[in-house]
Amino acid sequence: MSLQFFASMTAAPSDFRKIERLLAQTNPSSDPLAHILSTPLFMNKEALRSLRRFQEERNSEVCFDSAGYYVQLGRIDYHELYMKLLSCYRTHLWADRYVLPDNVPLSSDTDAQVEEKVRETVYYSCLLFKEMPDELKGKAMPVVHGRTRAQVEYCLEHYIDLGVKWVGFGSFGTFGKNNEANIATNSAVENARLVVQIAGCYGLKVHLFGIGAPALVGMIYSTGAASFDSASWFKAAGFGQVHMPLMRSYNITYNNSSSELQQGITWEDFTHLKRVTDHECIFCADYHTLAGHKMHRVIHNLLVVNESVNIFNQGQFERAQAIYEQGSVKYKEEYKRWLPQPLS
């Protein structure tokens, strides 16, 4: 089994250029931009041209997201999404995968609201699928949502009838001021496992949406999902946070102990984590390079997520165990359920 990481990039053209230029200075064992997820409705023409060039020159696989995340943020209403998305997909026939319109349930939603969003997602996804150009139907990816097994099965029943090859799962917990972040609650992870199990019986592959902190890669791998996407590598860097393979993130720009999410780390402690994880790149070679430049943190974080995935894809389970045992208290016991075999 090989897990694919889709780097979520709905960025300005200048960011595409900076990321490409800085990444060229590194020598990763695999291309961190081999798979890219972008939201075309929120990209200008130049950014889309950059994305197309990545596909043509780097051979990057491009997945067009439906903008369900922007509905989640309140940036666009779900019901105005349909025609805009259909028009966009009809205009851009070159992507490798097309996500159908999903209405993301929030942790704050009532059970009745979740049920309504699940029904809407299935109805409009099936409708858009029928209206898509025939040449895109084999690339369509509807999204499973729901809190309950019955809701998950309801989605899958309708999607299997469409004859699609891929389904996504996106009902993870949400938090933050605008519900901008997803969290892997226990119930959501169990639902993700259920989706993978049922979909697999029908030959469908599963993509997990919007959870990609390095510490969770072991969990994602253990579900049997074929792919996942994350924007954490980019977003975290803007807040001064740095990733390490299979570990939680820390703020390298200042020493803050008052916030659990923004916990600071000294350079001495960060250097220790580099030894523990065996990670080294030119952008974390010294404090000023990493702390002083957001884009250096962006590339460092991108390399780290990619490296975390490679650890599992290459069967380095002893290395994974060693990292998890010296990492966050939260994952010291959890990882034992994720690793594919008992380790002595």
Side-chain angles (χ1 to χ4, degrees):
M1 184 186 103
S2 181
L3 178 65
Q4 295 177 344
F5 158 55
F6 278 72
S8 185
M9 290 178 68
T10 302
S14 59
D15 286 334
F16 276 93
R17 290 191 293 270
K18 289 174 189 174
I19 289 168
E20 187 174 35
R21 177 176 56 81
L22 292 172
L23 195 56
Q25 299 175 32
T26 68
N27 188 30
S29 59
S30 62
D31 186 3
L33 299 180
H35 313 279
I36 301 172
L37 180 137
S38 288
T39 309
L41 287 183
F42 285 83
M43 298 172 74
N44 62 30
K45 290 181 180 179
E46 188 181 351
L48 281 168
R49 282 196 295 270
S50 297
L51 193 59
R52 184 79 189 270
R53 185 172 57 78
F54 275 32
Q55 183 195 50
E56 292 173 346
E57 295 180 6
R58 301 182 78 98
N59 203 28
S60 300
E61 181 182 5
V62 174
C63 176
F64 275 172
D65 198 7
S66 68
Y69 176 68
Y70 292 86
V71 175
Q72 179 179 331
L73 294 180
R75 295 265 300 275
I76 186 173
D77 181 75
Y78 180 66
H79 296 100
E80 69 173 298
L81 182 62
Y82 184 88
M83 289 310 299
K84 289 184 177 181
L85 197 63
L86 182 59
S87 174
C88 176
Y89 286 180
R90 285 172 170 170
T91 302
H92 302 284
L93 303 174
W94 50 268
D96 299 289
R97 209 180 296 178
Y98 294 80
V99 180
L100 300 182
D102 62 315
N103 199 355
V104 182
L106 309 178
S107 292
S108 57
D109 285 343
T110 65
D111 289 343
Q113 287 173 317
V114 173
E115 180 70 23
E116 182 181 6
K117 287 183 174 182
V118 168
R119 299 272 169 174
E120 284 187 329
T121 295
V122 170
Y123 176 79
Y124 286 109
S125 291
C126 292
L127 193 63
L128 191 136
F129 179 85
K130 291 169 185 172
E131 292 200 73
M132 288 176 86
D134 287 342
E135 63 197 277
L136 300 188
K137 288 180 179 176
K139 303 176 182 180
M141 183 164 70
V143 185
V144 174
H145 281 303
R147 283 181 185 164
T148 67
R149 183 185 181 105
Q151 289 166 342
V152 166
E153 291 177 343
Y154 175 81
C155 294
L156 286 169
E157 179 183 344
H158 286 79
Y159 298 159
I160 289 165
D161 285 345
L162 294 179
V164 295
K165 300 173 184 175
W166 283 85
V167 293
F169 177 76
S171 278
F172 293 99
T174 60
F175 77 100
K177 189 171 85 171
N178 295 311
N179 296 293
E180 76 275 12
N182 293 344
I183 51 173
T185 60
N186 289 336
S187 59
V189 171
E190 289 311 307
N191 281 338
R193 293 186 193 281
L194 177 65
V195 172
V196 172
Q197 178 188 350
I198 297 174
C201 294
Y202 294 88
L204 275 64
K205 294 181 179 179
V206 177
H207 178 93
L208 301 186
F209 279 98
I211 54 160
L216 292 176
V217 169
M219 180 277 291
I220 295 167
Y221 184 87
S222 75
T223 66
S227 61
F228 73 100
D229 68 89
S230 174
S232 71
W233 56 280
F234 193 96
K235 290 180 180 177
F239 294 106
Q241 290 186 296
V242 289
H243 292 340
M244 290 303 283
L246 305 185
M247 288 191 166
R248 57 156 298 165
S249 298
Y250 293 93
N251 196 306
I252 196 72
T253 58
Y254 68 104
N255 189 12
N256 176 18
S257 58
S258 61
S259 167
E260 176 61 23
L261 287 175
Q262 282 285 332
Q263 188 173 337
I265 189 170
T266 64
W267 183 250
E268 183 182 4
D269 288 341
F270 182 77
T271 302
H272 170 70
L273 294 185
K274 288 206 292 182
R275 289 194 296 269
V276 167
T277 61
D278 197 26
H279 170 80
E280 187 66 62
C281 70
I282 61 171
F283 298 110
C284 66
D286 65 81
Y287 174 78
H288 294 291
T289 299
L290 190 61
H293 302 276
K294 172 193 167 182
M295 292 307 295
H296 290 173
R297 295 191 295 276
V298 165
I299 302 302
H300 163 84
N301 288 349
L302 177 62
L303 293 169
V304 163
V305 178
N306 199 52
E307 187 175 337
S308 299
V309 173
N310 287 339
I311 287 172
F312 280 91
N313 283 344
Q314 295 167 7
Q316 299 176 26
F317 303 127
E318 290 184 3
R319 180 182 173 192
Q321 179 186 27
I323 294 172
Y324 275 124
E325 286 187 343
Q326 296 188 65
S328 168
V329 173
K330 181 178 179 181
Y331 301 112
K332 281 188 176 178
E333 292 301 318
E334 287 284 304
Y335 82 86
K336 294 175 184 175
R337 299 191 296 121
W338 302 342
L339 293 180
Q341 59 191 42
L343 296 173
S344 57

